[in-house]
Amino acid sequence: MRKLLFQNLWRSPLTIPAPAPSEPALAELGARVDRAARRRLGRSLAIRQVDAGSCNGCELEIHALNNAFYDLERFGFRFVASPRHADVLLVTGPVTANMREALERTYAATPGPKWVVAVGDCGRDGGVFAGSYACVGGVAEVIPVDLHIPGCPPDPLQLLEGLLALLQVQ
Amino acid sequence: MMNANVALRTILEAGEPVTDHRPWPRVVVTPELWNTLSEGLSGGAWSLLGLWGEVGMVHLAVYEDASETPGVASLPCPAGQFPSVGRLHPPAQRLERTIADLVGLQPVDAPDGRPWLDHGRWPVRHPLGGATARTSPPNPLSMHGEGVAKPGERFVYPFLSAEGESLHQIPVGPVHAGIIEPGHFRFTANGEAVVRLEERLGYVHKGIESLLRGATLERAARLVGRVSGDSTVAYALAFARAVEAATETTVPARAHWLRALMAELERLAHHCGDIGAICNDAAFALMHAHCAVLRERVLRASAAGFGHRLLMDCIVPGGVATDLPADGAKTLRALVDDFRQQFPPLIELYENTASLQDRTVGTGFVRPALIQQFGCGGVIGRAGGRAFDARRQPGYPPYDRLEFETPVQTDTDSDTDSDVNARVWLRIGEVEQSLALIEQILERLPPGSVRGDLNLPGRDCEGVALVEGFRGDILVWLRLAADGTVARCHPRDPSWFQWPLLEAAIENNIVADFPLCNKSFNGSYSGHDL
């Protein structure tokens, strides 16, 4: 183990430069997030990820945000284990009928001020699963959504751009 | 009356053959033959490959290990019921409960009458059967069906009980603490020791099989590719192969090789991620950090080679969507070289860290007999001595022309075999095999086109395919209508036969080791819930 740790001291970091926040995401958010909440939270946001029916593709890319290339925590974001510790709910999937109540209860358990980010094409409008008897539709059908990050699945860079926009909005 | 030692071939010959079902035979059987199949499954002569329903009929796919024969038997159900297979063969129980939920056909004498995927929240009942509007919660309300639900009544799922002094229950989920899929685990524990775990799944049921009915092949391929996002290559491949079998379409040689290349990249990425994630659940974050870097490199190379990090929609019926670009092979060779340098020190680290081994060795042991009974595939099956690998048998190109080993844990005598540690080592072995396969494929990739036209016959036709994903064997069965749309398609995830074994693996382990056991299985929720 020591050898591996020493090697890491010499190697240049893998972490990529921070991307610019994406413009459409900024515009969507501008109207929703006020300056006061921003002052209270500063550059630190706790994220609770909720899979409300996803195929697991989005989760894989959200996971990747934590790897050395994207290193999400350098921007002040971190994933937390309970909605009670969270500022942001990162919700994936078409919301299934079987997950609807769990999502509503997770939202209710999250203290305000809070934001909801709907991830993926399914989180936006149900994606390829729209119209099924078992799906309610996009996340906004169930809880208020502040930001959509589309993609099937969105890659880590797109996720990062969206989350950065959440922080930098005036 | 036939006895249970009958060969599968005899049953397949005794039934009424269905024309235009390929490549294995499908036969319509009598209830007596159906019961003989259940007995054979229960006797261990055959493995269960799948059990699914449609309006008026149930289908049973089995595999005879000794003769390497697969086959599908179908039983008409004019009275809306069929003899339970789960009555004799427990691995069929959840599949039967699903048939009752989705199609409305009742398994007679089934030991467990509780609904499975139907949580009482859909606007319809039996969406693949009569699809009637829901007026009451699912029936029955109890384990053995005594309860009758009244309209408007709230459905309460009856969990199995555990009796004894000082027992307490821990409900976990459906929303879990990590970045993972939803499901409910009901633990009954005595202090730290788990005495019973019961899973309740179905939370991410999206109604995929209903969406597939009437879908064009293009849309159906996208849907099946999203049954379980982490196995998108394997699912797309199984779907494409089933369509090609049904339509007797020949795929260009280069497409076969590119498909295998994608399948091995998928296996490499997820095994590598799993090895790190298992160690992370034993609080050894260093492995996780390094494995996550390697995994990211695979995804980037995949994006450079085929245009999508997870390779979604890259495999289509008839071939593959895009050919490897001119510098694609170079990128992938660099990836393999990188792995060959970075991966061995990580194996060494795993092997030499006593505190990590302390958590993985002897934890989450599964009895090999259970693995055989459930026909459990993937590394979980092979860690328990079951060598089945769909790439070899029934097999598909180009694997017949590639050299590779399927790592199997053959020494399964003691309690420290087929544990979390064994499942880690099999993943390590498969990573090495996938690297060697990628090298061979790049070396010998034949030239030519990568996509051909489908040979749609203009009448109903049926196809079936079995493909080895990183999690195990994926079955896709389908019937195409005369207009070339999908009439019925059933994808069966390997997790169906792995989730039940997790309940067995955790017994007598401490609650705190559950994440470790669960991660070493890495069952799919979405693939199972459909």
Side-chain angles (χ1 to χ4, degrees), chain B residues 25 59 240 245 253 284 289-290 300 302 306 309 320 334 356 402 405 407-408 437 445 477 508:
Chain B
H59 306 283
F284 196 67
H290 281 272
R300 288 177 171 214
S302 300
F306 297 100
R309 284 164 54 89
V320 296
L356 180 56
L402 292 166
E405 283 168 27
V408 183
L437 280 167
L445 197 58
W477 178 89
N508 299 321

Short mmCIF file of all heavy atoms in Angstrom, two decimals, chain B residues 25 59 240 245 253 284 289-290 300 302 306 309 320 334 356 402 405 407-408 437 445 477 508:
data_model
loop_
_atom_site.label_atom_id
_atom_site.label_comp_id
_atom_site.label_asym_id
_atom_site.label_seq_id
_atom_site.Cartn_x
_atom_site.Cartn_y
_atom_site.Cartn_z
N PRO B 25 -36.16 -25.26 -29.90
CA PRO B 25 -37.56 -25.62 -30.12
C PRO B 25 -38.48 -25.03 -29.06
O PRO B 25 -38.06 -24.81 -27.92
CB PRO B 25 -37.55 -27.16 -30.02
CG PRO B 25 -36.34 -27.47 -29.20
CD PRO B 25 -35.34 -26.40 -29.48
N HIS B 59 -45.19 -19.72 -20.45
CA HIS B 59 -44.02 -20.30 -21.12
C HIS B 59 -42.94 -20.59 -20.08
O HIS B 59 -42.72 -19.79 -19.16
CB HIS B 59 -43.45 -19.34 -22.15
CG HIS B 59 -44.45 -18.86 -23.16
ND1 HIS B 59 -44.87 -19.63 -24.22
CD2 HIS B 59 -45.13 -17.69 -23.26
CE1 HIS B 59 -45.75 -18.95 -24.94
NE2 HIS B 59 -45.93 -17.76 -24.38
N ALA B 240 -31.11 -8.15 -30.05
CA ALA B 240 -30.75 -8.24 -31.46
C ALA B 240 -30.64 -9.69 -31.90
O ALA B 240 -31.14 -10.07 -32.96
CB ALA B 240 -29.43 -7.50 -31.70
N ALA B 245 -32.60 -14.31 -34.81
CA ALA B 245 -32.99 -15.72 -34.82
C ALA B 245 -34.39 -15.86 -35.41
O ALA B 245 -34.65 -16.70 -36.27
CB ALA B 245 -32.94 -16.30 -33.41
N ALA B 253 -19.83 -10.54 -40.32
CA ALA B 253 -18.86 -11.05 -39.36
C ALA B 253 -18.27 -9.94 -38.49
O ALA B 253 -18.13 -10.09 -37.27
CB ALA B 253 -17.74 -11.78 -40.11
N PHE B 284 -12.47 0.43 2.83
CA PHE B 284 -11.14 0.52 2.25
C PHE B 284 -11.22 1.37 0.98
O PHE B 284 -11.31 0.87 -0.14
CB PHE B 284 -10.61 -0.89 1.96
CG PHE B 284 -9.12 -0.92 1.73
CD1 PHE B 284 -8.23 -0.65 2.76
CD2 PHE B 284 -8.61 -1.23 0.49
CE1 PHE B 284 -6.86 -0.69 2.56
CE2 PHE B 284 -7.23 -1.26 0.26
CZ PHE B 284 -6.36 -0.99 1.30
N ALA B 289 -10.99 4.22 -4.98
CA ALA B 289 -10.51 5.38 -5.74
C ALA B 289 -9.74 4.93 -6.98
O ALA B 289 -9.94 5.47 -8.08
CB ALA B 289 -9.63 6.25 -4.85
N HIS B 290 -8.89 3.91 -6.82
CA HIS B 290 -8.09 3.47 -7.96
C HIS B 290 -8.92 2.72 -8.99
O HIS B 290 -8.75 2.90 -10.19
CB HIS B 290 -6.93 2.60 -7.47
CG HIS B 290 -5.79 3.41 -6.93
ND1 HIS B 290 -4.79 3.88 -7.73
CD2 HIS B 290 -5.55 3.89 -5.70
CE1 HIS B 290 -3.94 4.60 -7.00
NE2 HIS B 290 -4.39 4.62 -5.75
N ARG B 300 -14.34 6.19 -21.02
CA ARG B 300 -13.84 7.18 -21.98
C ARG B 300 -13.39 6.52 -23.28
O ARG B 300 -13.64 7.04 -24.37
CB ARG B 300 -12.68 7.95 -21.37
CG ARG B 300 -13.17 8.88 -20.29
CD ARG B 300 -12.05 9.61 -19.59
NE ARG B 300 -12.65 10.63 -18.74
CZ ARG B 300 -12.11 11.81 -18.49
NH1 ARG B 300 -10.94 12.12 -19.01
NH2 ARG B 300 -12.72 12.67 -17.72
N SER B 302 -14.58 3.76 -24.40
CA SER B 302 -15.81 3.32 -25.07
C SER B 302 -16.43 4.48 -25.84
O SER B 302 -16.89 4.30 -26.98
CB SER B 302 -16.84 2.81 -24.05
OG SER B 302 -16.32 1.72 -23.33
N PHE B 306 -17.00 4.20 -29.72
CA PHE B 306 -18.35 3.96 -30.25
C PHE B 306 -19.32 5.11 -30.00
O PHE B 306 -20.50 5.01 -30.33
CB PHE B 306 -18.92 2.66 -29.66
CG PHE B 306 -18.12 1.44 -30.03
CD1 PHE B 306 -17.20 0.91 -29.14
CD2 PHE B 306 -18.27 0.87 -31.28
CE1 PHE B 306 -16.45 -0.21 -29.50
CE2 PHE B 306 -17.54 -0.24 -31.63
CZ PHE B 306 -16.61 -0.79 -30.74
N ARG B 309 -20.56 6.53 -23.65
CA ARG B 309 -19.75 6.01 -22.54
C ARG B 309 -20.24 4.64 -22.07
O ARG B 309 -19.44 3.78 -21.71
CB ARG B 309 -19.77 7.00 -21.37
CG ARG B 309 -18.87 8.21 -21.60
CD ARG B 309 -19.20 9.34 -20.64
NE ARG B 309 -19.16 8.95 -19.25
CZ ARG B 309 -18.08 8.99 -18.46
NH1 ARG B 309 -16.94 9.40 -18.95
NH2 ARG B 309 -18.16 8.63 -17.20
N VAL B 320 -24.28 -3.52 -35.81
CA VAL B 320 -23.97 -2.47 -34.83
C VAL B 320 -24.20 -1.12 -35.51
O VAL B 320 -24.15 -1.00 -36.73
CB VAL B 320 -22.52 -2.57 -34.30
CG1 VAL B 320 -22.31 -3.86 -33.54
CG2 VAL B 320 -21.50 -2.44 -35.42
N ALA B 334 -4.35 1.08 -25.96
CA ALA B 334 -3.75 1.89 -24.90
C ALA B 334 -4.46 1.64 -23.57
O ALA B 334 -3.83 1.58 -22.51
CB ALA B 334 -3.82 3.38 -25.27
N LEU B 356 -8.68 -5.83 5.28
CA LEU B 356 -9.71 -5.94 4.24
C LEU B 356 -10.17 -7.39 4.10
O LEU B 356 -11.37 -7.67 4.05
CB LEU B 356 -9.13 -5.41 2.93
CG LEU B 356 -10.00 -5.42 1.69
CD1 LEU B 356 -11.29 -4.66 1.90
CD2 LEU B 356 -9.24 -4.82 0.51
N LEU B 402 -12.55 -17.53 -30.14
CA LEU B 402 -11.66 -16.79 -29.24
C LEU B 402 -11.18 -17.71 -28.13
O LEU B 402 -11.88 -18.65 -27.74
CB LEU B 402 -12.40 -15.60 -28.63
CG LEU B 402 -12.78 -14.48 -29.60
CD1 LEU B 402 -13.79 -13.55 -28.98
CD2 LEU B 402 -11.53 -13.72 -30.01
N GLU B 405 -10.84 -18.22 -20.77
CA GLU B 405 -11.24 -19.12 -19.69
C GLU B 405 -12.42 -18.50 -18.96
O GLU B 405 -12.56 -17.28 -18.94
CB GLU B 405 -10.09 -19.30 -18.69
CG GLU B 405 -9.00 -20.23 -19.18
CD GLU B 405 -7.78 -20.14 -18.29
OE1 GLU B 405 -7.95 -19.80 -17.10
OE2 GLU B 405 -6.68 -20.37 -18.80
N PRO B 407 -13.37 -18.26 -15.29
CA PRO B 407 -12.91 -18.62 -13.94
C PRO B 407 -14.06 -19.20 -13.11
O PRO B 407 -15.16 -18.65 -13.09
CB PRO B 407 -12.44 -17.29 -13.36
CG PRO B 407 -12.24 -16.38 -14.53
CD PRO B 407 -13.21 -16.83 -15.57
N VAL B 408 -13.80 -20.32 -12.47
CA VAL B 408 -14.80 -20.98 -11.61
C VAL B 408 -14.13 -21.38 -10.31
O VAL B 408 -12.99 -21.86 -10.31
CB VAL B 408 -15.39 -22.25 -12.27
CG1 VAL B 408 -16.47 -22.85 -11.40
CG2 VAL B 408 -15.94 -21.94 -13.65
N LEU B 437 -9.41 -10.93 -24.11
CA LEU B 437 -10.39 -11.02 -25.20
C LEU B 437 -10.36 -9.76 -26.06
O LEU B 437 -10.40 -9.82 -27.29
CB LEU B 437 -11.79 -11.25 -24.63
CG LEU B 437 -12.11 -12.69 -24.24
CD1 LEU B 437 -13.38 -12.76 -23.41
CD2 LEU B 437 -12.25 -13.56 -25.48
N LEU B 445 -9.97 -8.57 -35.79
CA LEU B 445 -11.22 -7.96 -36.26
C LEU B 445 -11.34 -8.07 -37.78
O LEU B 445 -10.53 -7.51 -38.52
CB LEU B 445 -11.20 -6.48 -35.84
CG LEU B 445 -12.50 -5.69 -35.85
CD1 LEU B 445 -13.54 -6.34 -34.95
CD2 LEU B 445 -12.22 -4.27 -35.38
N TRP B 477 -36.83 -13.36 -24.96
CA TRP B 477 -37.73 -14.12 -25.83
C TRP B 477 -38.68 -13.13 -26.48
O TRP B 477 -39.13 -12.18 -25.82
CB TRP B 477 -38.53 -15.13 -25.01
CG TRP B 477 -39.51 -15.91 -25.84
CD1 TRP B 477 -39.27 -17.07 -26.51
CD2 TRP B 477 -40.88 -15.58 -26.11
NE1 TRP B 477 -40.40 -17.48 -27.18
CE2 TRP B 477 -41.40 -16.59 -26.95
CE3 TRP B 477 -41.72 -14.53 -25.72
CZ2 TRP B 477 -42.72 -16.58 -27.41
CZ3 TRP B 477 -43.03 -14.51 -26.18
CH2 TRP B 477 -43.53 -15.54 -27.02
N ASN B 508 -27.08 -15.28 9.55
CA ASN B 508 -26.02 -15.44 10.56
C ASN B 508 -24.84 -14.50 10.40
O ASN B 508 -23.87 -14.58 11.13
CB ASN B 508 -25.49 -16.89 10.62
CG ASN B 508 -26.59 -17.85 10.99
OD1 ASN B 508 -27.43 -17.53 11.84
ND2 ASN B 508 -26.63 -19.00 10.36
#
